[in-house]
């Protein structure tokens, strides 16, 4: 029997996963606050096709689902946990495809920690423009447990992803994977947002690339005392991915600054700064990013959310 699935956060990523599950015969519901629920009831356009799904608002009755996927920006996590609480039961598996280091910890503080599996979403290129979402590459989900053990809940999740046609890989080093993604996001997302630069600016040996690498070095420095070993091989892995990106593509954080939206700087630079203070490590580049990207920005483009391979 195919699982029932709730998506909390039907932006570019959430809508992409909703489409995969819905198009393969799974029962899918979108959980949202009242204002967003009203918009979602008008439907989404996914890769040119209309997608109409049940929408659960705070006033609607609900039943627990088998799988809850949290796909919001960090500033919306608190409200997302409220929305998730209406669809999470004792048997529900919960995963986060969010950026940063803390979403799984926050979810585990609200629900049974055994229900929350670790997940990293990588390699997707989903883009949202209003209610329209498109992608060419859905990427891969890396999944696992904090201690690397393979549990029945984890293997069941893997089977669900297979039935939905979503590429995935069970990893026994998920904390390393989560930190690797954090390292990448702190580097490319923040540098691109501050400089309003596309991927091409970072693919050559330029000042933009040097800034990105400097931000990455600060993550590597604070990761060690946290028990995570990142080194040049991790940087090289990212540079290989970067070389494959479309030169005119832009990170999701750059899209946020272009559109005048708040960014994820608190969960990126803010997190690095706090870790640096804890361990007595200087993080001047992330401090500069924090000052720059915390300031209000002027919109430079339409309301577009782009979620690309650095995610």
């Amino acid at each position: 029997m195919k699982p029932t699935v709730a998506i909390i956060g039907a932006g570019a990523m959430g809508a992409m996963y909703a489409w995969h599950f819905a198009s393969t015969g799974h029962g899918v519901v979108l959980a949202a606050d009242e204002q967003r629920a009203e918009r979602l009831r008008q439907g989404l356009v996914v890769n040119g096709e209309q997608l109409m799904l049940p929408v659960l608002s705070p006033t609607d009755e609900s039943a627990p689902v088998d799988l809850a996927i949290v796909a919001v920006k960090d500033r919306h996590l608190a409200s997302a946990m409220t929305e998730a609480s209406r669809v999470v039961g004792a048997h529900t598996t919960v995963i986060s495809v969010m950026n940063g280091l803390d979403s799984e910890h926050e979810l585990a503080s609200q629900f049974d920690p055994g229900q929350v599996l670790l997940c990293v979403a990588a390699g997707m290129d989903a883009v949202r423009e209003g209610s329209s979402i498109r992608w060419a590459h859905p990427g891969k989900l890396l999944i696992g447990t904090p201690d690397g053990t393979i549990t029945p809940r984890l293997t069941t999740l893997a089977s669900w992803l297979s039935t939905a046609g979503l590429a995935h890989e069970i990893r026994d080093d998920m904390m390393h994977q989560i930190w690797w993604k954090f390292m990448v996001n702190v580097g490319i997302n923040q540098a691109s947002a501050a400089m309003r630069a596309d991927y091409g600016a970072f693919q050559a040996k330029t000042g933009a690339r040097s800034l990105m690498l400097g931000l990455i070095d600060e993550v590597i420095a604070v990761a060690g005392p946290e028990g995570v070993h990142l080194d040049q091989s991790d940087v090289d892995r990212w540079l290989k991915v970067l070389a494959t990106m479309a030169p005119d593509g832009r990170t999701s954080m750059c899209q946020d600054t272009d559109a005048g939206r708040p960014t994820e700087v608190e969960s990126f630079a803010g997190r690095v700064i706090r870790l640096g203070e804890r361990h007595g490590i200087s993080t001047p580049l992330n401090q500069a990013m924090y000052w720059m990207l915390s300031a209000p920005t002027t919109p430079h483009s339409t309301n577009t959310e782009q979620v690309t391979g650095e995610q």
Side-chain angles (χ1 to χ4, degrees), residues 34 86 101 135 227:
E34 199 66 59
R86 293 180 289 118
L101 298 174
W135 78 87

Side-chain angles (χ1 to χ4, degrees), residues 68-139:
I69 301 176
V70 180
V72 298
K73 294 292 180 71
D74 65 306
R75 61 186 178 276
H76 299 308
L77 179 56
S79 61
M81 289 196 295
T82 298
E83 292 154 18
S85 66
R86 293 180 289 118
V87 295
V88 173
H91 72 282
T92 306
T93 294
V94 181
I95 62 171
S96 164
V97 292
M98 295 173 57
N99 291 326
L101 298 174
D102 301 316
S103 62
E104 284 92 353
H105 175 76
E106 294 298 319
L107 290 166
S109 71
Q110 172 146 336
F111 306 114
D112 180 347
Q115 295 179 260
V116 182
L117 295 177
L118 302 185
C119 181
V120 167
M124 77 295 298
D125 59 1
V127 179
R128 175 177 64 86
E129 295 176 332
S131 62
S132 179
I133 295 94
R134 68 181 188 276
W135 78 87
H137 305 289

Side-chain angles (χ1 to χ4, degrees), residues 39-276:
R39 295 197 301 270
L40 290 173
R41 289 190 179 103
Q42 308 305 311
L44 299 167
V45 178
V46 182
N47 279 359
E49 299 180 5
Q50 186 77 20
L51 178 64
M52 301 294 296
L53 293 172
V55 180
L56 179 66
S57 71
T59 57
D60 296 324
E61 293 185 3
S62 60
V65 296
D66 298 308
L67 174 63
I69 301 176
V70 180
V72 298
K73 294 292 180 71
D74 65 306
R75 61 186 178 276
H76 299 308
L77 179 56
S79 61
M81 289 196 295
T82 298
E83 292 154 18
S85 66
R86 293 180 289 118
V87 295
V88 173
H91 72 282
T92 306
T93 294
V94 181
I95 62 171
S96 164
V97 292
M98 295 173 57
N99 291 326
L101 298 174
D102 301 316
S103 62
E104 284 92 353
H105 175 76
E106 294 298 319
L107 290 166
S109 71
Q110 172 146 336
F111 306 114
D112 180 347
Q115 295 179 260
V116 182
L117 295 177
L118 302 185
C119 181
V120 167
M124 77 295 298
D125 59 1
V127 179
R128 175 177 64 86
E129 295 176 332
S131 62
S132 179
I133 295 94
R134 68 181 188 276
W135 78 87
H137 305 289
K140 176 187 286 189
L141 293 171
L142 308 178
I143 57 174
T145 59
D147 62 2
T149 59
I150 298 178
T151 64
R153 188 182 293 274
L154 179 60
T155 56
T156 298
L157 172 61
S159 70
W160 291 345
L161 297 176
S162 294
T163 61
L166 287 164
H168 60 280
E169 181 181 350
I170 293 177
R171 300 289 300 239
D172 61 4
D173 61 344
M174 281 303 300
M175 292 310 301
H176 188 99
Q177 298 304 319
I178 288 171
W179 271 86
W180 180 83
K181 182 182 177 183
F182 178 67
M183 178 195 80
V184 170
N185 288 154
V186 167
I188 187 70
N189 281 26
Q190 294 192 125
S192 65
M195 302 182 74
R196 302 283 177 99
D198 56 25
Y199 287 117
F202 300 92
Q203 289 168 333
K205 293 184 178 180
T206 61
R209 185 183 179 106
S210 295
L211 174 59
M212 175 190 74
L213 293 174
L215 290 163
I216 283 173
D217 284 343
E218 291 183 1
V219 175
I220 292 173
V222 300
E226 289 292 303
V228 178
H229 177 68
L230 296 170
D231 59 24
Q232 187 59 44
S233 66
D234 294 295
V235 180
D236 292 342
R237 173 186 168 194
W238 161 236
L239 293 178
K240 288 179 181 178
V241 175
L242 176 61
T244 69
M245 308 298 288
D248 60 350
R250 297 167 82 81
T251 70
S252 57
M253 197 165 180
C254 185
Q255 292 286 333
D256 285 339
T257 54
D258 283 345
R261 294 189 294 262
T263 71
E264 295 177 283
V265 67
E266 184 64 44
S267 62
F268 292 164
R271 191 74 163 90
V272 174
I273 292 166
R274 291 190 294 274
L275 288 169

Side-chain angles (χ1 to χ4, degrees), residues 278-295:
R278 177 188 301 172
H279 300 296
I281 297 171
S282 178
T283 57
L285 292 178
N286 274 281
Q287 181 64 74
M289 292 296 101
Y290 190 83
W291 288 329
M292 294 175 64
L293 297 172
S294 296

